[in-house]
Amino acid sequence: MIENTPLVRKLGAFVALSAPELAVLASLHKRRRTFVAGRDLVRQGQSDQAAYILANGWACSYKLLEDGRRQIVDFQIPGDFLGLRSILLHVSDHSIEPVTDIEVTEILAADLLTAFAQTPRLATAVLWAASRDEAMVVEHLVDIGRRDAAERMAHFLLELGGRLTLVGLATKAGYACPLTQYLLADALGLSSVHVNRVLRQLREAGMVTFREGFVAFDDYDKLAVFAKFDPTYMDPRGPLLL
Amino acid sequence: MIENTPLVRKLGAFVALSAPELAVLASLHKRRRTFVAGRDLVRQGQSDQAAYILANGWACSYKLLEDGRRQIVDFQIPGDFLGLRSILLHVSDHSIEPVTDIEVTEILAADLLTAFAQTPRLATAVLWAASRDEAMVVEHLVDIGRRDAAERMAHFLLELGGRLTLVGLATKAGYACPLTQYLLADALGLSSVHVNRVLRQLREAGMVTFREGFVAFDDYDKLAVFAKFDPTYMDPRGPLLL
DNA sequence: CGCCTAGTTGAGGTAAGTCAATTCACGTGG
DNA sequence: CCACGTGAATTGACTTACCTCAACTAGGCG
C-alpha cells in the first residue's frame, strides 16, 4: 500500500495517479533530513541540485535587497515543495529559511527530471502544483499592492487558515501559528510596529486574535467580509486528468 | 524546417527540443485570432478551455477587488503564454486584457494535456517556462513590498527592458512601450498622479525618459545602480535538459 | 541575576494618496 | 472649419497611512 503523504494527497487532487506513478513518486523521496529554525536551507544565488518536500514544520521563502530589507514571498507548510524553482532555473533566485525546526525529504534534480520523462502525468501534476503556488503568490501581490494594512493582515490570516485546513491543521475556529510579528511584517511589506497596531485593531474589533502562537477567529464571517476574502483561487475543483 | 517562433526560442533555451517535439509544439497552434485593445480575453471566474500564445502586441493580467481597485500582476509580450494557469486550475483566477491590439494563437486544454502525455520533455519545458514567469511575479512582489516608488519604477522599466531584449524588441538605449501612466500605476501599486511625479523625478535626474510611447535610457548604468537591478533572476543559463 | 528576544505603546516625520484644476492631442459631428 | 468631448498627462494644495525612533514590559534561559 502506498502511503498517503500530504504531497500525494495534494497532487491526487489534480491528477488521479496510478499505482506505478505513485511508486515513482515514492522512489523520489531520498534521504529524510531535519533543519533547525532560522538556519537557511537554500541561499539566494546558490546553484543547487536538490529540492525538498516539507514533511513537518513551517518554512518561508524570501528575497533580500542589498541594504538588508527583506520580502517574504510565501510560507510553506507540510506537503509543500521547497526550492522547486531553484532546480528548474539552475540557480536559486531566493532563500529559504525554516521558521520552526523542520523535517523534509530530499529530491535530487536528476531524479525528478527522469521521473518526468518516465511518467509524463507526474510532470503534469507537478506543473499543476506549481500553478497553484503561483496563484498564492499572485494573491499575495494583490494584498500588498492594493489592500491597506488591516485588510491585508485579515486576508493573509484567512488565506493561511484555508491552506492549513486543506492539510488538516486548521478549522474555522483557528490554528496554531508559529510566526512572529517580525515575520508577518516582512511578509506583508509592513513594519513590525505597524503589524502590532493592526493586530490590536483587529482584536479590538472582535474579528481575530493572534496571541501566543495561536490564531483564533473570533468572528470568522465578519473577518471574511472585512477582508473581502474570496477563496475560489485556493479551491481545488477535483481532478482535471483522470 | 520548423519555424522559429518566439515560443520555440524561449522553450529551446531550457530544453533542447527534438524535431518530433517541435512538430508536436507546432501542431498545438490552432486558430490564429486577433483581439482589440481594452476588451478582456479572459475574465476572472470564467472557466475557460483555451489558452493562448501571444504573437504580437502587449497584454496584461490583473485581478480586481470588489470596490474597483485593480492590481496588474504582469504584462505579457510576444512569446508569452496567456491564461496557462486558467487551464490548469479549471477556472481563471485573473483577467487578461490586451493593452494594444494583439494577435494570438489559440491552444486547447485537451490538446496541451495530450501533448504532455506524448512528449514529456515538452511538459518539462513548459514547467520551466511557468517557473520563469513565477520568478517575474516574485520579483514584482519584492518591488511592491520593499522598494519605494522611484526604485520600483526604475526597477520595473529595467526588467521590462530585459525581457524585451530577449525577444529582440529593446536595446540598452530603450524601447517602444505602449503603457499609459494609469497602467503603470495599477501595476506598481501607486496612484497615477504619483506615477507621473516619479517619472518626472527620474527624468530630471537624467536616468530615464518615458514619453510618447517610448522609454529612453538616458543613463542605463546609473539607473541600474539606483534601482539595485540584479538581472540574474531573468538570465537563462543554457539548457538544463539536453 | 542579567541578557535576549518578542511584543507593546507613544510622538513625530514622510512618502504617497486624494481632490482638483489645467493643458494638450485627438477624434467626431454640426 | 470649428465646437465639443474625451482620455492622457501635468501640477498644486492638502490629507493620511504608515514609518522611524524610542521607551518600556514580560517571558525564557544560561
Side-chain angles (χ1 to χ4, degrees):
Chain A
M1 194 53 206
I2 311 289
E3 49 180 346
N4 184 22
T5 64
L7 178 63
V8 169
R9 217 186 317 159
K10 193 168 136 177
L11 295 183
F14 176 62
V15 174
L17 293 166
S18 68
E21 283 159 355
L22 288 170
V24 170
L25 190 55
S27 77
L28 285 177
H29 289 58
K30 289 287 189 199
R31 284 186 297 158
R32 195 162 187 94
R33 303 182 59 176
T34 63
F35 292 93
V36 299
R39 169 109 90 244
D40 286 354
L41 338 40
V42 175
R43 202 72 63 93
Q44 205 164 329
Q46 202 177 28
S47 6
D48 200 54
Q49 315 79 342
Y52 305 92
I53 294 167
L54 184 54
N56 237 298
W58 292 43
C60 69
S61 51
Y62 66 91
K63 295 192 78 159
L64 283 178
L65 302 187
E66 288 117 356
D67 58 7
R69 283 175 292 179
R70 158 166 113 149
Q71 177 65 47
I72 292 179
V73 173
D74 202 3
F75 293 103
Q76 283 81 37
I77 59 176
D80 288 345
F81 281 105
L82 303 181
L84 181 59
R85 218 169 56 244
S86 314
I87 281 189
L88 292 162
L89 302 182
H90 287 216
V91 54
S92 182
D93 62 337
H94 61 275
S95 303
I96 298 184
E97 174 188 311
V99 169
T100 64
D101 292 351
I102 59 173
E103 275 186 278
V104 301
T105 54
E106 195 175 42
I107 294 188
L108 300 178
D111 292 354
L112 189 67
L113 295 172
T114 41
F116 286 170
Q118 287 162 13
T119 54
R121 286 156 51 88
L122 192 57
T124 308
V126 171
L127 178 56
W128 168 80
S131 297
R132 254 188 110 239
D133 291 351
E134 189 181 345
M136 299 290 166
V137 175
V138 164
E139 192 62 27
H140 195 172
L141 183 71
V142 175
D143 255 10
I144 293 185
R146 285 297 181 219
R147 286 191 245 257
D148 70 23
E151 277 181 328
R152 202 183 297 178
M153 176 66 74
H155 193 271
F156 175 81
L157 294 176
L158 286 165
E159 172 179 305
L160 209 44
R163 289 173 62 186
L164 288 164
T165 301
L166 290 181
V167 288
L169 293 174
T171 70
K172 283 207 168 184
Y175 52 90
C177 177
L179 305 179
T180 65
Q181 294 184 356
Y182 293 88
L183 287 168
L184 284 174
D186 280 345
L188 298 178
L190 299 170
S191 67
S192 62
V193 172
H194 204 63
V195 164
N196 185 287
R197 291 193 226 277
V198 166
L199 284 174
R200 170 153 61 115
Q201 183 186 326
L202 293 176
R203 187 181 344 116
E204 287 173 354
M207 295 196 277
V208 63
T209 304
F210 182 7
R211 252 187 184 156
E212 285 153 28
F214 199 86
V215 173
F217 293 125
D218 302 319
D219 187 339
Y220 188 93
D221 295 334
K222 187 173 171 192
L223 186 65
V225 168
F226 174 76
K228 301 181 183 66
F229 182 59
D230 167 17
T232 21
Y233 71 98
M234 321 185 42
D235 259 345
R237 291 293 176 100
L240 176 55
L241 266 189
L242 292 177
Chain B
M1 194 54 204
I2 311 285
E3 48 179 345
N4 184 23
T5 63
L7 179 63
V8 168
R9 216 184 318 160
K10 192 167 137 178
L11 294 183
F14 176 63
V15 174
L17 293 166
S18 67
E21 283 159 355
L22 289 170
V24 171
L25 190 55
S27 77
L28 284 178
H29 288 57
K30 290 287 189 196
R31 285 185 294 160
R32 196 164 187 94
R33 304 182 60 176
T34 63
F35 292 93
V36 298
R39 170 109 88 246
D40 287 353
L41 340 40
V42 175
R43 201 73 61 95
Q44 206 164 329
Q46 202 176 25
S47 11
D48 201 51
Q49 314 80 341
Y52 306 92
I53 294 167
L54 185 52
N56 236 299
W58 292 42
C60 68
S61 50
Y62 65 93
K63 294 191 78 159
L64 283 179
L65 303 187
E66 289 116 356
D67 59 7
R69 283 174 293 178
R70 158 165 112 149
Q71 177 65 47
I72 293 179
V73 173
D74 203 4
F75 293 102
Q76 284 81 36
I77 58 175
D80 288 345
F81 280 104
L82 303 180
L84 181 58
R85 217 167 58 244
S86 313
I87 281 189
L88 293 163
L89 302 182
H90 286 216
V91 53
S92 182
D93 63 337
H94 61 274
S95 303
I96 299 183
E97 174 188 311
V99 169
T100 64
D101 292 350
I102 59 173
E103 274 186 278
V104 300
T105 54
E106 194 174 41
I107 293 188
L108 301 179
D111 292 354
L112 188 67
L113 294 172
T114 41
F116 286 169
Q118 288 163 11
T119 53
R121 286 156 51 88
L122 192 57
T124 308
V126 171
L127 177 56
W128 168 81
S131 297
R132 258 190 105 239
D133 290 351
E134 190 182 345
M136 298 291 165
V137 175
V138 165
E139 192 62 27
H140 195 172
L141 183 71
V142 175
D143 254 9
I144 294 185
R146 287 296 181 218
R147 285 191 245 257
D148 71 23
E151 277 180 329
R152 202 183 299 178
M153 175 67 74
H155 193 272
F156 175 80
L157 293 176
L158 285 165
E159 173 178 305
L160 208 44
R163 289 173 62 186
L164 288 164
T165 302
L166 290 181
V167 288
L169 293 174
T171 69
K172 283 207 169 186
Y175 51 90
C177 177
L179 306 178
T180 65
Q181 295 184 354
Y182 293 88
L183 287 168
L184 284 174
D186 280 345
L188 299 178
L190 299 170
S191 67
S192 62
V193 172
H194 204 62
V195 163
N196 185 286
R197 290 193 227 277
V198 165
L199 284 174
R200 171 153 61 114
Q201 182 187 326
L202 292 175
R203 188 183 341 118
E204 287 173 355
M207 295 196 277
V208 63
T209 304
F210 182 9
R211 251 188 182 154
E212 284 152 28
F214 200 86
V215 173
F217 294 124
D218 302 319
D219 186 339
Y220 188 92
D221 294 336
K222 187 173 171 192
L223 186 66
V225 169
F226 174 75
K228 302 183 182 66
F229 181 58
D230 167 19
T232 25
Y233 72 97
M234 324 185 39
D235 260 346
R237 290 293 175 99
L240 175 56
L241 267 188
L242 292 176

